[in-house]
Protein backbone atom coordinates (compact mmCIF):
# COMPACT_ATOMS: atom_id res chain seq x y z
CA UNK A 1 0.00 0.00 0.00
CA UNK A 2 0.96 3.62 -0.37
CA UNK A 3 2.80 4.76 2.78
CA UNK A 4 1.82 8.35 2.08
CA UNK A 5 -1.76 7.25 2.78
CA UNK A 6 -0.95 5.24 5.92
CA UNK A 7 -3.53 6.08 8.58
CA UNK A 8 -3.50 3.39 11.26
CA UNK A 9 -0.74 2.59 13.73
CA UNK A 10 -0.19 -0.71 11.93
CA UNK A 11 0.20 0.92 8.51
CA UNK A 12 2.53 3.61 9.82
CA UNK A 13 4.65 1.05 11.67
CA UNK A 14 4.96 -1.12 8.55
CA UNK A 15 6.17 1.90 6.61
CA UNK A 16 8.78 2.92 9.18
CA UNK A 17 10.03 -0.40 10.60
CA UNK A 18 12.29 -2.42 8.28
CA UNK A 19 11.39 -5.82 9.78
CA UNK A 20 7.65 -5.13 9.62
CA UNK A 21 8.05 -4.02 6.01
CA UNK A 22 9.74 -7.33 5.19
CA UNK A 23 7.04 -9.29 7.02
CA UNK A 24 4.32 -7.37 5.18
CA UNK A 25 5.98 -8.12 1.85
CA UNK A 26 6.27 -11.82 2.68
CA UNK A 27 2.63 -12.16 3.67
CA UNK A 28 1.50 -10.33 0.54
CA UNK A 29 3.59 -12.64 -1.64
CA UNK A 30 2.53 -15.84 0.13
CA UNK A 31 -1.13 -14.81 -0.03
CA UNK A 32 -0.90 -13.99 -3.73
CA UNK A 33 0.81 -17.31 -4.52
CA UNK A 34 -1.73 -19.35 -2.55
CA UNK A 35 -4.69 -17.60 -4.20
CA UNK A 36 -3.19 -18.38 -7.61
CA UNK A 37 -2.69 -22.07 -6.72
CA UNK A 38 -5.25 -24.83 -7.14
CA UNK A 39 -6.44 -25.00 -3.53
CA UNK A 40 -10.11 -25.40 -4.43
CA UNK A 41 -12.96 -22.91 -4.20
CA UNK A 42 -13.78 -23.66 -0.56
CA UNK A 43 -10.20 -23.20 0.58
CA UNK A 44 -9.86 -20.04 -1.53
CA UNK A 45 -12.96 -18.56 0.10
CA UNK A 46 -11.65 -19.55 3.53
CA UNK A 47 -8.24 -18.02 2.80
CA UNK A 48 -9.87 -14.71 1.86
CA UNK A 49 -12.16 -14.73 4.90
CA UNK A 50 -9.37 -15.56 7.34
CA UNK A 51 -7.21 -12.84 5.78
CA UNK A 52 -9.91 -10.26 6.53
CA UNK A 53 -10.13 -11.50 10.13
CA UNK A 54 -6.36 -11.39 10.41
CA UNK A 55 -6.24 -7.77 9.18
CA UNK A 56 -8.72 -6.81 11.91
CA UNK A 57 -6.54 -8.61 14.48
CA UNK A 58 -3.41 -6.92 13.13
CA UNK A 59 -5.02 -3.52 13.41
CA UNK A 60 -5.67 -4.07 17.14
CA UNK A 61 -1.91 -4.11 17.79
CA UNK A 62 -0.50 -1.10 19.62
CA UNK A 63 3.21 -1.92 19.43
CA UNK A 64 5.68 -3.36 16.96
CA UNK A 65 6.24 -6.55 18.96
CA UNK A 66 2.54 -7.41 18.64
CA UNK A 67 2.64 -6.66 14.92
CA UNK A 68 5.69 -8.85 14.33
CA UNK A 69 4.07 -11.70 16.24
CA UNK A 70 0.76 -11.65 14.35
CA UNK A 71 2.60 -11.29 11.03
CA UNK A 72 4.87 -14.28 11.69
CA UNK A 73 1.92 -16.46 12.67
CA UNK A 74 -0.12 -15.51 9.60
CA UNK A 75 2.78 -15.83 7.15
CA UNK A 76 3.03 -19.51 8.05
CA UNK A 77 -0.75 -20.10 8.24
CA UNK A 78 -1.30 -18.84 4.70
CA UNK A 79 1.01 -21.50 3.29
CA UNK A 80 -0.57 -24.41 5.18
CA UNK A 81 -3.45 -24.73 2.72
CA UNK A 82 -3.14 -27.98 0.76
CA UNK A 83 -2.90 -27.76 -3.02
CA UNK A 84 -5.48 -29.90 -4.85
CA UNK A 85 -3.40 -30.33 -7.99
CA UNK A 86 -0.14 -28.99 -9.29
CA UNK A 87 2.85 -27.86 -7.33
CA UNK A 88 2.56 -26.16 -3.95
CA UNK A 89 3.87 -22.62 -4.34
CA UNK A 90 7.17 -21.65 -2.82
CA UNK A 91 6.35 -19.75 0.33
CA UNK A 92 8.52 -17.71 2.63
CA UNK A 93 8.54 -19.07 6.18
CA UNK A 94 8.40 -16.54 8.97
CA UNK A 95 11.65 -17.78 10.50
CA UNK A 96 13.50 -16.85 7.28
CA UNK A 97 12.78 -13.15 7.83
CA UNK A 98 15.27 -11.25 9.95
Amino acid sequence: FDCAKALTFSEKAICTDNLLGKLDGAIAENYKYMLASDIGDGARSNLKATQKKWLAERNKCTDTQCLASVYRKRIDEVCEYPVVSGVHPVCTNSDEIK
Side-chain angles (χ1 to χ4, degrees):
F1 58 88
D2 183 354
C3 285
K5 296 179 181 176
L7 298 175
T8 66
F9 168 79
S10 298
E11 291 170 347
K12 290 175 184 176
I14 292 161
C15 290
T16 59
D17 186 285
N18 189 43
L19 174 62
L20 292 176
K22 288 178 185 178
L23 292 169
D24 190 67
I27 202 167
E29 230 176 45
N30 287 357
Y31 183 75
K32 178 179 73 172
Y33 292 156
M34 288 308 294
L35 281 180
S37 297
D38 184 9
I39 59 174
D41 293 340
R44 186 168 289 103
S45 293
N46 181 268
L47 178 61
K48 290 177 183 179
T50 57
Q51 187 73 2
K52 286 180 183 177
K53 287 180 185 174
W54 174 80
L55 283 168
E57 179 185 345
R58 179 200 75 176
N59 289 337
K60 291 178 184 174
C61 286
T62 58
D63 61 56
T64 57
Q65 185 176 1
C66 173
L67 284 170
S69 177
V70 296
Y71 263 96
R72 288 188 185 281
K73 183 178 177 216
R74 183 65 182 163
I75 285 168
D76 296 333
E77 285 175 354
V78 167
C79 291
E80 291 174 358
Y81 285 82
V83 173
V84 176
S85 66
V87 178
H88 194 284
V90 175
C91 284
T92 300
N93 292 318
S94 66
D95 59 359
E96 296 174 45
I97 304 165
K98 306 286 182 215

